[in-house]
Amino acid sequence: MITAYLIVIGIMFATVYQQHHSRMEDYVSQLFADVMTQVRAHLTMDEAETVSEEMREVLHSMQIPYLEAYDGKGRLLHTFASGEWPSIRQGTPLPELPVSGEEHFTLIEHAHSPYLVFATGPTEIKNPFGRHVVRAFRGVLPVDEGIIRRMREHYANALWLVLATGAVFALALFPMILFYYRQLRLKNSELIRSYFGTVSALGSAVAQRDSGTSSHSYRVTLYTLRLAEALQCCGQKHIANIILGAYLHDIGKIGIPDAILLKAGKLTADEFELMKSHVEKGLEIVSHVTWLSNAGSVIAGHHEKYDGSGYPHGLRGEAIPLEARIFSVADVFDALSSRRPYKAPMTLEASLDYIKSHSGTHFDPAIVAVFIRIVPGIYRETLQRSEKELEAMLQKEVEPYINRL
């Protein structure tokens, strides 16, 4: 909100400055055009002629302190200098003559008053006798200091008006906007929590179908979250996506028949191929919902292996998304250490031995090293927890990340 407010004020300041700058440019351009029209109308003598007294009076009446006239080849023909020219000459640099038809003029701040230094390229003019004379000019024009001062006062007043408007906006409207903004944030948080509740329900439904309980979904998400935090390699947004993926990693198993999903014995080759299809089925499900698609990295890569022997794409090493490498360690450990309809749980030591023995083949060694260090504490913390206790524990852990989903 503050950033938006500052941007609006900045735009207002820029607009006022641009208007002042344009108004100043218009005034200077018009002044230059008017004076050069008069100069060209009067200074039409031949190259051999000198600046007459009458012409000097004309230039003096125009208050021009200095003027040089050149021919079409850039040769100096005439010079006019008023009595005040020596006093303003220092600090009043004259530009080079431009090419034919072009002109340069710049407003400079002099100690006495502002002046316009200018130079024009050769321009064809017609004198009263029908002759065409080519002239280029270089010199100094006086600028009405009163007009410049009034324009600057107008600019200053406009800036004060912007500040006053901004102050009124801040004092009168900003608190109200801030209130509604906070209400919107609150509603947004409630909506995100509703989404998260839906994700949790989906993950639990898949876990119950696979193992008869939601505990696996809660534990594996907790392991994954703690591991991602311990690795210190991910920002909050990244960890939020890992949490989402942990909940939905096996959502594709909805499409796997119970006869295969719950089979106690070893799967046949055909059955295993069908089981592997749960990865693609899961990606297909989340692809239709934008905010669920962030779970795709975990869903797609949690069965890949570090040595490239996994599925579905046989990715190797760091080609496997980091989210999937983190999750796969937690997922396999919980599958080993928890009870399933078709197997008894392994002990903590046996499960850790399996993880260690497959470091560098199935798992990323760097991730395994951190996991081995933190998992005993998490295992003991969750071992005797009921399903509802695990759910409450996980909700507390994921709370800082919910608004990042």
Side-chain angles (χ1 to χ4, degrees):
M1 284 296 297
I2 294 176
T3 301
Y5 172 74
L6 293 177
I7 289 174
V8 170
I9 294 297
I11 292 173
M12 293 173 70
F13 269 110
T15 301
V16 170
Y17 172 78
Q18 182 62 37
Q19 289 178 345
H20 169 72
H21 186 69
S22 298
R23 191 175 289 112
M24 185 75 77
E25 281 189 340
D26 291 343
Y27 167 71
V28 169
S29 298
Q30 189 59 49
L31 172 66
F32 176 77
D34 291 344
V35 172
M36 289 312 302
T37 297
Q38 295 182 60
V39 169
R40 288 191 176 107
H42 291 94
L43 200 58
T44 57
M45 71 285 291
D46 289 329
E47 295 179 6
E49 297 182 61
T50 60
V51 179
S52 66
E53 286 301 318
E54 180 182 355
M55 188 62 230
R56 290 181 183 276
E57 290 180 6
V58 171
L59 295 174
H60 182 72
S61 68
M62 297 168 62
Q63 299 181 333
I64 294 179
Y66 187 74
L67 183 70
E68 295 174 350
Y70 292 83
D71 65 11
K73 296 181 179 180
R75 295 175 297 193
L76 181 62
L77 299 178
H78 312 293
T79 301
F80 168 78
S82 69
E84 64 179 338
W85 172 241
S87 65
I88 66 173
R89 182 171 185 174
Q90 188 174 3
T92 312
L94 297 175
E96 297 294 328
L97 289 175
V99 299
S100 178
E102 292 186 1
E103 55 191 32
H104 299 316
F105 49 90
T106 306
L107 184 68
I108 63 171
E109 294 292 338
H110 201 274
H112 301 288
S113 63
Y115 287 94
L116 196 67
V117 295
F118 69 91
T120 71
T123 304
E124 186 176 314
I125 59 176
K126 187 174 182 180
N127 66 15
F129 306 102
R131 292 178 297 176
H132 288 74
V133 183
V134 175
R135 288 284 187 272
F137 300 99
R138 188 170 72 154
V140 180
L141 297 176
V143 178
D144 189 328
E145 188 175 7
I147 293 178
I148 296 295
R149 184 173 60 253
R150 286 193 295 274
M151 292 176 69
R152 286 176 176 163
E153 288 174 354
H154 176 77
Y155 174 56
N157 291 335
L159 290 182
W160 278 113
L161 181 60
V162 169
L163 287 174
T165 303
V168 170
F169 174 81
L171 294 174
L173 299 179
F174 190 73
M176 182 174 63
I177 294 175
L178 183 60
F179 170 77
Y180 284 111
Y181 173 72
R182 287 175 175 171
Q183 290 295 107
L184 181 61
R185 286 286 301 271
L186 181 61
K187 293 295 183 183
N188 187 55
S189 294
E190 292 175 356
L191 182 61
I192 291 174
R193 282 178 171 79
S194 175
Y195 288 162
F196 187 76
T198 302
V199 170
S200 178
L202 283 172
S204 296
V206 175
Q208 286 185 9
R209 183 165 179 261
D210 190 14
S211 59
T213 176
S214 299
S215 297
H216 167 68
S217 177
Y218 299 142
R219 280 195 307 270
V220 76
T221 303
L222 182 62
Y223 284 136
T224 303
L225 169 57
R226 294 272 188 92
L227 178 55
E229 290 176 335
L231 286 167
Q232 297 183 339
C233 60
C234 308
Q236 282 196 323
K237 176 63 176 176
H238 203 171
I239 293 178
N241 291 339
I242 294 175
I243 293 170
L244 196 64
Y247 265 117
L248 299 178
H249 68 284
D250 273 342
I251 193 171
K253 286 184 177 179
I254 291 173
I256 304 300
D258 287 346
I260 296 175
L261 186 64
L262 304 179
K263 184 177 179 179
K266 185 177 180 180
L267 299 178
T268 67
D270 289 340
E271 289 172 338
F272 186 60
E273 286 300 315
L274 186 56
M275 175 64 82
K276 289 194 297 184
S277 70
H278 81 275
V279 173
E280 297 300 330
K281 293 178 187 296
L283 288 174
E284 176 67 18
I285 291 170
V286 300
S287 68
H288 295 295
V289 184
T290 302
W291 65 277
L292 290 183
S293 62
N294 290 332
S297 294
V298 172
I299 295 173
H302 74 285
H303 283 296
E304 300 287 357
K305 295 183 179 181
Y306 199 72
D307 62 0
S309 63
Y311 68 87
H313 301 298
L315 300 179
R316 180 189 299 270
E318 294 188 1
I320 304 170
L322 176 62
E323 301 95 323
R325 281 182 278 141
I326 293 172
F327 174 79
S328 65
V329 178
D331 185 39
V332 172
F333 174 82
D334 190 70
L336 295 172
S337 60
S338 61
R339 182 178 299 278
R340 296 292 175 89
Y342 47 84
K343 64 173 280 295
M346 292 173 61
T347 64
L348 171 64
E349 292 73 17
S351 300
L352 287 178
D353 287 342
Y354 180 92
I355 297 295
K356 292 175 187 176
S357 67
H358 288 79
S359 176
T361 54
H362 190 155
F363 310 114
D364 184 333
I367 294 174
V368 168
V370 176
F371 185 75
I372 294 297
R373 175 169 54 84
I374 68 170
V375 73
I378 309 173
Y379 175 82
R380 295 185 182 97
E381 186 181 0
T382 59
L383 183 61
Q384 301 300 325
R385 301 261 183 172
S386 67
E387 189 173 304
K388 287 192 175 297
E389 288 174 330
L390 286 172
E391 181 181 15
M393 181 181 177
L394 183 60
Q395 285 179 346
K396 183 178 179 181
E397 297 264 349
V398 302
E399 180 64 27
Y401 303 100
I402 286 180
N403 285 329
R404 299 288 182 173
L405 290 172

